[in-house]
Amino acid sequence: EAQVTQNPRYLITVTGKKLTVTCSQNMNHEYMSWYRQDPGLGLRQIYYSMNVEVTDKGDVPEGYKVSRKEKRNFPLILESPSPNQTSLYFCASSLYGSGIGFSYNEQFFGPGTRLTVL
Amino acid sequence: DQQVKQNSPSLSVQEGRISILNCDYTNSMFDYFLWYKKYPAEGPTFLISISSIKDKNEDGRFTVFLNKSAKHLSLHIVPSQPGDSAVYFCAASAGDNDMRFGAGTRLTVKP
């Protein structure tokens, strides 16, 4: 089954304790992205990756890191989480990113990770 | 700075009637627009899209209309069904790999 998986689905942690949220897709997609969803703000892009070893900042990258060592995996790293990073996080992938010369492709989203930082 | 706005946080309609969800944008460089649907405890799923070279795209019960001069798009669902009850996100892209989403509209379709 084609899917995007995220782990963990729920996480409660404390300020400053490093954490990683994993994301994996089995569709051989080149483009992957992380979003956070907050009430009244919708989905805001944190980081995206056009392909292996190619990552770039989205709208709200502060306090986050990502890596793309393999095509299927795109982990989100919070080196020193703070309470303002409490949110619902979604990973997404698409065959290609949008852009000149590419076909636009809809993104497939994972089920979400609800993170609470105390 | 929210470049994509969904000004109605919620909408309630009767089963069988039309649902109209609205979305406004400010960036004239946006050239591709999408609607996603989200059920509780699930990720958003793609519903329908439209390129800026078109003003209408239809897929079954779902139609998206784009008015570029007004920087406005809308999603029409006809007829509405209880299973359509979900949060709907409007999204836009300027071809720069940066997808911008609205805050979402919660649609409730009453039987």
Side-chain angles (χ1 to χ4, degrees), chain A residues 31 42 45 98-99 104 106-107 110, chain B residues 31 36 43 46 93 95 97-98 102:
Chain A
Y31 181 90
Q45 192 175 48
S98 57
Y104 288 104
E106 69 271 16
Q107 294 183 41
Chain B
D31 61 355
Y36 283 85
F46 170 74
S93 174
N97 307 309
D98 192 4

Side-chain angles (χ1 to χ4, degrees), chain B residues 28-70:
Chain B
S28 58
M29 298 301 291
F30 287 146
D31 61 355
Y32 195 66
F33 305 88
L34 308 91
W35 283 94
Y36 283 85
K37 177 178 176 179
K38 183 183 179 305
Y39 292 119
E42 296 182 10
T45 54
F46 170 74
L47 189 58
I48 193 169
S49 63
I50 187 167
S51 163
S52 61
I53 63 173
K54 294 184 175 182
D55 54 19
K56 176 182 174 181
N57 189 27
E58 197 170 349
D59 183 3
R61 295 186 296 114
F62 303 91
T63 303
V64 56
F65 295 92
L66 175 62
N67 183 334
K68 287 188 290 294
S69 61

Side-chain angles (χ1 to χ4, degrees), chain B residues 68-86:
Chain B
K68 287 188 290 294
S69 61
K71 295 191 179 68
H72 177 83
L73 66 155
S74 60
L75 174 68
H76 292 211
I77 307 174
V78 184
S80 301
Q81 300 173 353
D84 296 329
S85 296

Side-chain angles (χ1 to χ4, degrees), chain A residues 2-22:
Chain A
Q3 59 183 352
V4 178
T5 56
Q6 295 178 227
N7 282 294
R9 293 289 311 276
Y10 302 91
L11 179 60
I12 301 175
T13 189
V14 295
T15 299
K17 186 176 181 182
K18 180 179 178 180
L19 67 92
T20 299
V21 184
T22 64

